[in-house]
Amino acid sequence: MDDQKKNNYIAPVIWGITITSLIIALTMTAKKAFAAIVPNQKIRGCDTHGCGSFGASRGGRKHEGVDVVVTPGTKILSPIAGKVIRHPFPYPGDIFYKGILIENEQYSVKIFYLNPTAIQNTTVKQGDVIGVAQNIASKYSPGMTNHVHIEVKDRTGKLLNPTNLFT
């Protein structure tokens, strides 16, 4: 093989590191901000009550979070390390459905449709059990895919699309 053909198969070297090894190293060390809240986490698609993606139409407004498919009774894990601020309610006047608000120096994460087990004003680690999924389909109909709803804001209060923040 002549020198011209050999050079086509040699990765470029920068400071003694090949581009390929640099890409592999960056990929392996890059960490997403959020841990999955359930094993095999999946965003709710569309069902008879709408779609679970960020920005999906909700009549005159947009969906401000993502819906993660769960089975009622599933343990929900904290996506971030932070402090449990409060246990909010998604529906005014309905105290059956509950949520949890966790904050740290970067994010504010609100998760609805779970019975919180993490106590208000305590600190949780990423991956700690923070609650148990409720049966949201019982409020709407069997046509609703059971899920928990996650909303994320940055430290300035700006609403974020959490889809790409998860590992």
Side-chain angles (χ1 to χ4, degrees), residues 94-134:
D94 183 348
I95 60 170
F96 179 77
Y97 293 96
K98 299 175 181 81
I100 194 166
L101 175 63
I102 301 169
E103 293 182 350
N104 64 22
E105 57 281 343
Q106 291 180 293
Y107 301 103
S108 171
V109 178
K110 194 182 298 181
I111 304 176
F112 286 133
Y113 316 133
L114 63 93
N115 283 314
T117 56
I119 300 168
Q120 195 169 318
N121 294 318
T122 61
T123 301
V124 294
K125 294 181 286 198
Q126 190 176 53
D128 282 354
V129 175
I130 56 170
V132 177
Q134 294 181 293

Side-chain angles (χ1 to χ4, degrees), residues 3-167:
D3 287 340
Q4 181 79 21
K5 287 182 181 176
K6 281 184 194 173
N7 287 337
N8 288 338
Y9 299 102
I10 297 172
V13 177
I14 299 174
W15 299 307
I17 302 171
T18 67
I19 297 295
T20 305
S21 63
L22 182 60
I23 290 170
I24 291 169
L26 289 173
T27 303
M28 291 174 69
T29 57
K31 185 177 182 216
K32 297 282 187 156
F34 291 8
I37 63 167
V38 293
N40 304 313
Q41 182 166 299
K42 183 176 105 174
I43 303 298
R44 174 179 153 234
C46 299
D47 58 31
T48 59
H49 293 278
C51 303
S53 60
F54 183 82
S57 177
R58 290 288 187 271
R61 63 181 183 85
K62 299 285 185 190
H63 192 223
E64 294 186 340
V66 295
D67 297 339
V68 174
V69 176
V70 296
T71 301
T74 300
K75 291 179 181 175
I76 305 299
L77 309 177
S78 182
I80 62 171
K83 183 177 180 181
V84 177
I85 302 301
R86 63 188 178 96
H87 296 147
F89 299 95
Y91 303 111
D94 183 348
I95 60 170
F96 179 77
Y97 293 96
K98 299 175 181 81
I100 194 166
L101 175 63
I102 301 169
E103 293 182 350
N104 64 22
E105 57 281 343
Q106 291 180 293
Y107 301 103
S108 171
V109 178
K110 194 182 298 181
I111 304 176
F112 286 133
Y113 316 133
L114 63 93
N115 283 314
T117 56
I119 300 168
Q120 195 169 318
N121 294 318
T122 61
T123 301
V124 294
K125 294 181 286 198
Q126 190 176 53
D128 282 354
V129 175
I130 56 170
V132 177
Q134 294 181 293
N135 183 356
I136 190 62
S138 69
K139 180 170 181 70
Y140 290 97
S141 76
M144 167 73 77
T145 303
N146 270 303
H147 63 274
V148 293
H149 171 85
I150 302 174
E151 289 180 17
V152 178
K153 293 182 179 177
D154 68 12
R155 66 180 173 201
T156 68
K158 179 183 173 194
L159 191 64
L160 302 176
N161 179 349
T163 306
N164 297 319
L165 294 174
F166 286 99
T167 54

